Amino acid sequence: MTDRLLYDIHVQVLAFLHDDRISLYNCALVDRNFNNAASKVLYRRVCYSPEYRHVLDLKDRGVLEKNSMLKAACTPHHAPLVIELEISGYISTRPPSLFNLGATIANAIQKFVNLSKIMFCPVTFHGELFVQSLELLPKISNLQELAVNPSCTGDRTCHLLTRIESLRRLTLDSPGRLILDALPEWLGRLSPGLLGLHLKDNCGSITPGVLKSFVPHVIDHLRELTLGLSYSLQDEDVFTFLSQLPLLERLQLQHYLQLRTPKTIPKLMRLKYFAADYLPAFDKREVVALCRWVKWVISSSPIEHVCLIRGDQDPDTIHIPFDSLIDHLATKHASTLRILDFKEAYVSVKGMKSLLHRCNHLEEVYVAARIHVLGAFREHACHLHRLRVARFNIRNAKMKRALVDDDLARQIITKGPPSLRILGVNGAVWERNWVSSRCNGSVYLLVQRICGSC
């Protein structure tokens, strides 16, 4: 009983290091108890992602290196611990007769008896790389989430992919005509268990007719949806489709500027998360159109998390305030908004003050703004007792003026909301923690920089 309790405690503590594999490896060397707990966290997610090579290595036969995580995960001790498998990166385009990685992956899948999530999304690949693996996937009883790209939707693999059933979430990156033709029938076999359908990146083959063919198979159960960029779809087509999905809770769409105003505005009464991918806006008209489009989507929703994702992350892009969207959120969604993730979307100091005054339940804020926003934040955010994270990208300022030293960051954190734990400015991050003194055991507040520099 004591050993089991100790193991459970170790797992919970080490779970905080799930992204720090070096530390987990060192913990596994302490003793048997630590080894078992660290291995559970370390091998929960196995990733094989080769880096780009300038020259094709003709001697590479696809044999895994000795220190490969995928090879270590295939041992009898570690294989039952694997829950997620990711194959990505730059894989050789040589055929299976000359490159044996496909058989190695299929052999690993047979050993990972508790596998529930798989991602096959390599950048470069041979068309038959995943043939053997796809033949095995229908036999995996625990498989719930599957994400694939064109490596699994070609002529040699599409018919194998659509044999898989009992999925909870399906992600297709850059779906082509072949898989879209087969998708309605596949969705019919996946329903009603399918909760999430994510069509990402280049979705140019998705037409209004394709969307209509999805409706009978997803109308009664779909809760998560992603639609990538397709110039074949107008706002009217997308909004009409969304209006037929009353259970949607999470949504991500790609925006592009259109001149026609849609006649249909979706009423998504359960939507809590909305993310919008958009291209950089170079004048006020484009920003106003983007803000209006977002407001159309979330107008009837109890929205909690709004995320804007700009395709071009160039900090020198002209910055135009998204204040009309901020005003809408502060006026209509103040009681529900928890996370505002604008990243590179610019907010004026006035707009930030309005947000801080009205949205009393904010937990995380991430915006781009002028340097004066730090003063406004320190002055107007004290009453936000749930705010844990605040991040700012300082724009429209010379480099020297955008610098924030440790003293200023410490002042902003200590005089800000009592719950604030993390402050980020231009990539630099400060964290506030309570620390016990080694001398007399007293507890004091410590603010220290944990990464980056301004």
Side-chain angles (χ1 to χ4, degrees):
M1 180 67 179
T2 304
D3 291 342
R4 180 62 189 179
L5 179 61
L6 188 62
Y7 170 80
D8 291 340
I9 294 174
H10 284 164
V11 170
Q12 294 297 323
V13 173
L14 293 176
F16 289 99
L17 301 174
H18 66 278
D19 289 330
D20 189 351
R21 297 194 174 275
I22 295 178
S23 296
L24 287 172
Y25 171 76
N26 291 331
C27 290
L29 302 178
V30 175
D31 57 26
R32 182 179 296 275
N33 288 328
F34 264 96
N35 182 276
N36 291 335
S39 296
K40 182 179 178 63
V41 180
L42 186 61
Y43 290 98
R44 175 182 176 83
R45 178 177 177 272
V46 174
C47 177
Y48 179 78
S49 183
E51 296 181 354
Y52 176 75
R53 296 181 180 180
H54 295 283
V55 180
L56 178 64
D57 185 2
L58 298 178
K59 294 182 180 180
D60 185 6
R61 307 287 293 185
V63 179
L64 297 178
E65 300 177 356
K66 292 183 178 180
N67 60 349
S68 169
M69 186 178 186
L70 180 57
K71 186 173 183 177
C74 291
T75 62
H77 178 65
H78 296 145
L81 305 176
V82 180
I83 305 298
E84 303 176 18
L85 174 63
E86 176 184 337
I87 307 297
S88 56
Y90 297 85
I91 297 178
S92 176
T93 57
R94 305 175 76 193
S97 59
L98 300 175
F99 192 74
N100 199 39
L101 181 62
T104 303
I105 296 172
N107 181 55
I109 289 176
Q110 289 181 305
K111 296 179 179 180
F112 300 158
V113 293
N114 293 315
L115 201 60
S116 66
K117 181 178 180 179
I118 294 178
M119 177 186 292
F120 290 158
C121 295
V123 180
T124 59
F125 52 87
H126 186 272
E128 297 182 5
L129 174 64
F130 295 116
V131 168
Q132 293 173 276
S133 298
L134 292 176
E135 290 175 345
L136 296 172
L137 296 193
K139 303 175 184 177
I140 301 179
S141 58
N142 295 325
L143 187 61
Q144 296 185 358
E145 299 183 37
L146 178 65
V148 298
N149 70 350
S151 63
C152 298
T153 57
D155 296 336
R156 304 166 188 171
T157 52
C158 185
H159 67 286
L160 298 174
L161 180 66
T162 54
R163 289 167 46 196
I164 303 170
E165 299 182 4
S166 302
L167 293 175
R168 305 285 282 179
R169 290 174 179 83
L170 173 64
T171 301
L172 300 175
D173 281 7
S174 301
R177 193 73 240 175
L178 189 62
I179 185 64
L180 290 175
D181 287 341
L183 190 54
E185 189 270 337
W186 189 19
L187 291 176
R189 289 187 284 110
L190 290 175
S191 63
L194 188 70
L195 301 179
L197 177 61
H198 305 281
L199 307 175
K200 296 184 174 182
D201 297 333
N202 180 8
C203 294
S205 297
I206 299 181
T207 62
V210 171
L211 284 185
K212 290 179 182 179
S213 68
F214 295 164
V215 173
H217 310 295
V218 299
I219 186 172
D220 294 326
H221 52 84
L222 198 67
R223 287 173 169 79
E224 303 171 7
L225 175 67
T226 300
L227 280 179
L229 179 61
S230 174
Y231 291 113
S232 302
L233 298 175
Q234 295 184 354
D235 290 338
E236 177 67 25
D237 303 317
V238 176
F239 289 173
T240 300
F241 177 63
L242 295 177
S243 298
Q244 301 175 75
L245 303 176
L247 301 181
L248 269 188
E249 297 176 0
R250 298 177 63 87
L251 176 64
Q252 181 170 349
L253 299 177
Q254 172 75 53
H255 171 267
Y256 72 93
L257 185 62
Q258 300 180 35
L259 299 179
R260 290 186 179 181
T261 300
K263 298 179 181 179
T264 303
I265 303 299
K267 293 184 178 181
L268 305 175
M269 307 302 292
R270 297 192 179 188
L271 189 67
K272 297 180 180 180
Y273 170 87
F274 177 63
D277 295 278
Y278 69 100
L279 297 175
F282 296 100
D283 59 45
K284 186 175 180 180
R285 180 177 63 94
E286 295 179 9
V287 172
V288 170
L290 172 58
C291 292
R292 182 173 61 245
W293 179 78
V294 174
K295 289 187 285 185
W296 285 336
V297 177
I298 67 174
S299 58
S300 301
S301 307
I303 201 72
E304 296 180 359
H305 186 165
V306 178
C307 181
L308 299 184
I309 306 168
R310 197 177 77 186
D312 177 16
Q313 298 298 329
D314 182 7
D316 295 329
T317 301
I318 186 171
H319 298 283
I320 303 170
F322 283 64
D323 284 4
S324 63
L325 179 55
I326 290 292
D327 290 340
H328 174 82
L329 292 171
T331 302
K332 195 162 186 177
H333 303 281
S335 62
T336 60
L337 188 64
R338 300 291 188 272
I339 301 176
L340 183 73
D341 186 1
F342 273 22
K343 291 186 175 68
E344 291 298 332
Y346 187 79
V347 177
S348 71
V349 175
K350 181 180 178 180
M352 192 66 188
K353 290 180 180 179
S354 174
L355 181 77
L356 296 175
H357 275 302
R358 300 183 184 182
C359 299
N360 296 321
H361 302 289
L362 278 176
E363 298 175 5
E364 297 182 23
V365 174
Y366 192 175
V367 299
R370 297 174 59 195
I371 186 65
H372 302 292
V373 76
L374 297 177
F377 176 80
R378 182 174 56 185
E379 182 180 350
H380 298 280
C382 297
H383 66 287
L384 300 177
H385 298 289
R386 299 184 182 183
L387 189 64
R388 298 176 286 104
V389 180
R391 297 176 184 267
F392 302 96
N393 289 321
I394 303 302
R395 299 292 181 255
N396 292 350
K398 293 182 179 180
M399 185 175 296
K400 290 184 178 180
R401 293 196 62 194
L403 295 177
V404 174
D405 58 23
D406 292 344
D407 291 336
L408 178 58
R410 188 178 297 109
Q411 188 179 16
I412 294 173
I413 293 179
T414 55
K415 293 186 177 181
S419 58
L420 186 64
R421 289 294 176 266
I422 294 178
L423 172 69
V425 181
N426 286 358
V429 180
W430 292 265
E431 185 176 20
R432 172 167 69 174
N433 288 305
W434 289 100
V435 180
S436 176
S437 173
R438 294 182 179 180
C439 300
N440 53 18
S442 61
V443 178
Y444 62 96
L445 196 62
L446 176 65
V447 176
Q448 60 183 352
R449 187 193 298 252
I450 59 175
C451 71
S453 62
C454 289

